[in-house]
Amino acid sequence: MKIVVCVKQVPDTEAEKRLLPDTLTVDRESSNPVLNEMDEYAIEEALKLAEAHGGEVTVLTMGPDGADAAVRKALSMGADSGILLTDPALAGSDAVATSYGLAQALGTTEFDLVILGSEASDARTSLVPAMLAERLGLPQLTFASKVEIDGTAITVNRLTDYGHDIVSAQLPAVVSVVEKINEPRYPSFKGIMAAKKKPIANLDAAAAGIDAAKVGTAGAWTAVADAAQRPPRSAGVKVSDEGDGGVKLAEFLSAQKFI
Amino acid sequence: MAEILVLVDHADGAVKKVTLELLTKARALGEPSAVFVGAGYDKAAEKLAEYGAAKVYVAEDAELDGYVTAPKAELLAKLVAEHSPAAVLVPATAEGKEVGGRLAIKTGSGILTDAVDVSAELVAEQSIFGGSTVAHSKVTQGTPIIAMRPNATAPEAAPAAAERVDVSVELTDAAKLAKVVEKVVLPKGDRPELTEASIVVSGGRGVGSGENFAIIEKLADALGAAVGASRAAVDAGWYPHQSQVGQTGKTVSPQLYIAAGISGAIQHRAGMQTSKTIVAINKDEEAPIFELADYGVIGDLFKVVPQVTDEIEKRK
């Protein structure tokens, strides 16, 4: 079974994120970029499926050329090879353009299953997996908290606001996972060393058959007109509980007309 | 007047509050046409009329709910092609965004998410990066699709005709690839839905166990609030994933957010820091949550929470 995990390198989760004032794109420089956290769950699921059913795991990312670090992290967890789709023309792509770029890159390789994290911690649109399913004409098995494969049949538990749906389809398919699905393994020292030798293929827009007019800031179908950081909230009143903390809080809630 | 399509979010005809918000916003942008997919229209009709739907496109075909997302997107694409609306509003829920995303590809349109407002010129105000940045964006291609956050607009009743127009779509094979075999519904209490509630009471690591969440629930019930949980509490198995608030959970923006036993790291803050009023209860006075709180109580939540619950009950 050939599994491709699409991952994203994002600004450090702990850092404050911002849009650069001149380009109005995400500032990817000022913090240490990391592999998107949700993608670790996607990689783990791919590794588990490959271990259970036999197969190999390729990691694909679309990003600036430093995004190979995210691919390397996935390789150190145990993925077999990587593809880095990188090209200046891609910078500033919105979700529509990103899904196009990834779909084109997927077209250069074979796969039975594409797995993604359900959302990236920077833009948090959670659009790309569904858009990929749309573009590739494949079953959309998103927000999966459980994945089972039996031959070419795939069944997932898809989280909903009322619980979950049990959804079935045939491979090839697009799956996105939620944190609930597994516990990502930590790369071992051996895994980190081995990762240095695993191949990462570089693809530029031309090699992926990407029409530059359809990607990047210029090709996006949305445009950010302006952005401003909200002034941080200032701390309000702080009281110590001396046996009456709850009473004081109730007075506050009453004064604010919540009760 | 420009037609604005509004995708109705409902559970068997019980219309969700976010739909009323979207209809209210749509009235400011043009003439709202609600799009109702699935069973239960009889229950929904009155509500949709009350909140301003001039027209409702009704697709009561069970098949449309039998497959993941794609059928709704195909139906909407057909309506977009036939009626050339000025915009399509969807709720910024997991489902709404995915329908919007597929619709964007189908119709060659841009899509904007996390909108908390939309101007008459269809410029969306987006609350991003956990609410720390406000951006204004426009769709530059096709029919603008805008996913609006729940609790961003105050719903206003404005009775309208809600003229019923039955519609159907011949689903392509591609729309039927992911089949919903079974719906597993968690027992749902009477509490409001987390992203729509005007008050949320959340418990974190400080709560200590699943059983102890009962005191959080009691406070929530005294306030008519929804119950949320931090990632630590959900990871520990104390509360379901659907209740998780934060970077990898839901984003909420209620009138009042009470955080009990939650330290307030970015992971959590990113999901609630645009709440209008924030209250924190934590025994660690250095907890970062106090930097955000309008009112903070440094104390043991096992004393403070029951006490405030009692006080609330007394005042009823």
Side-chain angles (χ1 to χ4, degrees):
Chain A
M1 192 169 54
K2 183 98 193 292
I3 305 176
V4 178
V5 184
C6 295
V7 305
K8 187 178 184 187
Q9 188 181 59
V10 294
D12 186 354
T13 330
E14 294 301 307
E16 286 292 346
K17 292 180 260 283
R18 65 177 195 131
L19 294 183
L20 293 166
D22 48 351
T23 58
L24 295 174
T25 56
V26 175
D27 178 359
R28 298 188 184 282
E29 306 281 298
S30 59
S31 72
N32 287 328
V34 299
L35 171 63
N36 177 43
E37 190 173 345
M38 206 70 94
D39 297 350
E40 292 179 28
Y41 296 83
I43 296 160
E44 175 63 29
E45 199 59 23
L47 293 172
K48 280 170 73 172
L49 289 169
E51 282 156 10
H53 301 276
E56 70 176 61
V57 177
T58 298
V59 176
L60 164 65
T61 195
M62 176 173 130
D65 56 29
D68 68 318
V71 176
R72 222 33 102 178
K73 168 98 191 261
L75 296 177
S76 67
M77 284 173 72
D80 300 290
S81 62
I83 304 173
L84 170 62
L85 171 63
T86 186
D87 194 301
L90 298 167
S93 293
D94 61 5
V96 167
T98 301
S99 60
Y100 166 64
L102 288 174
Q104 289 299 116
L106 285 166
T108 68
T109 186
E110 277 172 7
F111 56 87
D112 299 293
L113 187 58
V114 179
I115 309 186
L116 303 94
S118 60
E119 74 178 35
S121 61
D122 51 2
R124 296 193 70 187
T125 65
S126 69
L127 294 175
V128 170
M131 287 177 163
L132 266 186
E134 175 70 30
R135 287 186 184 279
L136 299 172
L138 295 181
Q140 176 192 319
L141 304 171
T142 48
F143 302 108
S145 59
K146 187 169 169 205
V147 176
E148 266 169 7
I149 292 183
D150 185 3
T152 59
I154 176 167
T155 305
V156 308
N157 284 8
R158 181 168 181 262
L159 279 200
T160 62
D161 54 18
Y162 49 77
H164 68 266
D165 285 346
I166 300 180
V167 182
S168 76
Q170 289 289 310
L171 295 177
V174 174
V175 168
S176 79
V177 304
V178 294
E179 290 174 287
K180 202 175 163 192
I181 193 168
N182 60 38
E183 197 60 60
R185 62 196 69 181
Y186 287 113
S188 64
F189 179 71
K190 195 166 152 210
I192 296 169
M193 289 292 116
K196 293 179 197 259
K197 305 215 185 84
K198 291 178 181 172
I200 300 181
N202 265 46
L203 269 187
D204 62 12
I210 290 170
D211 176 356
K214 290 186 178 166
V215 292
T217 312
W221 292 345
T222 53
V224 180
D226 58 68
Q229 290 190 289
R230 257 207 195 103
R233 290 181 89 108
S234 42
V237 175
K238 219 156 128 180
V239 304
S240 272
D241 177 30
E242 270 142 41
D244 60 349
V247 177
K248 292 215 180 95
L249 175 53
E251 279 161 16
F252 170 78
L253 293 177
S254 173
Q256 299 295 312
K257 310 249 187 297
F258 287 114
I259 56 175
Chain B
M1 220 190 167
E3 189 176 8
I4 309 286
L5 295 185
V6 174
L7 178 63
V8 175
D9 194 358
H10 69 97
D12 291 319
V15 175
K16 303 245 174 104
K17 181 164 158 264
V18 66
T19 301
L20 311 180
E21 296 176 23
L22 262 50
L23 284 172
T24 301
K25 183 50 58 180
R27 282 203 317 273
L29 304 176
E31 200 170 74
S33 294
V35 180
F36 183 96
V37 179
Y41 181 64
D42 293 328
K43 257 173 101 179
E46 205 180 299
K47 212 49 177 217
L48 296 175
E50 192 188 337
Y51 281 83
K55 215 188 274 185
V56 187
Y57 296 111
V58 182
E60 272 185 317
D61 188 352
E63 202 188 36
L64 297 175
D65 265 335
Y67 303 95
V68 172
T69 305
K72 287 197 176 90
E74 281 194 0
L75 174 71
L76 279 169
K78 185 177 172 190
L79 293 174
V80 167
E82 284 175 1
H83 301 280
S84 302
V88 180
L89 299 185
V90 297
T93 56
E95 167 82 354
K97 289 196 283 188
E98 290 197 318
V99 172
R102 295 191 74 138
L103 179 63
I105 308 285
K106 286 181 195 297
T107 59
S109 303
I111 173 168
L112 296 167
T113 56
D114 288 320
V116 295
D117 201 0
V118 184
S119 75
E121 297 78 35
L122 299 177
V123 174
E125 179 169 296
Q126 297 167 296
S127 175
I128 61 173
F129 300 153
S132 60
T133 295
V134 175
H136 290 103
S137 303
K138 247 191 111 100
V139 166
T140 54
Q141 177 112 327
T143 305
I145 301 164
I146 302 175
M148 293 203 70
R149 282 260 189 87
N151 248 341
T153 313
E156 280 165 27
E163 180 207 335
R164 177 176 178 155
V165 178
D166 284 286
V167 295
S168 66
V169 63
E170 186 80 33
L171 292 179
T172 62
D173 288 340
K176 298 193 269 191
L177 296 174
K179 189 175 163 72
V180 178
V181 164
E182 193 186 325
K183 285 186 192 290
V184 177
V185 180
L186 289 172
K188 182 191 170 3
D190 292 322
R191 293 190 192 107
E193 204 265 303
L194 185 54
T195 57
E196 301 192 332
S198 52
I199 305 179
V200 174
V201 182
S202 283
R205 194 190 300 272
V207 176
S209 74
E211 287 92 44
N212 290 347
F213 254 86
I215 65 167
I216 303 291
E217 288 178 334
K218 267 185 139 159
L219 174 55
D221 291 341
L223 290 166
V227 177
S230 72
R231 186 193 195 178
V234 171
D235 280 352
W238 301 339
Y239 229 69
H241 188 88
Q242 277 84 354
S243 302
Q244 186 174 323
V245 172
Q247 180 91 275
T248 52
K250 300 218 161 72
T251 298
V252 300
S253 192
Q255 296 297 312
L256 171 64
Y257 189 90
I258 301 180
I262 294 177
S263 66
I266 286 213
Q267 150 70 236
H268 190 73
R269 288 201 334 236
M272 46 63 72
Q273 65 188 349
T274 60
S275 304
K276 316 297 179 295
T277 300
I278 295 175
V279 168
I281 302 163
N282 196 302
K283 62 183 180 199
D284 175 8
E285 70 178 296
E286 302 298 312
I289 192 88
F290 288 119
E291 288 160 34
L292 286 187
D294 298 291
Y295 196 87
V297 180
I298 305 160
D300 181 348
L301 69 92
F302 293 107
K303 301 217 170 71
V304 178
V305 171
Q307 192 180 62
V308 68
T309 307
D310 271 347
E311 288 295 312
I312 294 168
E313 293 295 351
K314 271 192 217 160
R315 286 156 195 264
K316 282 195 179 163

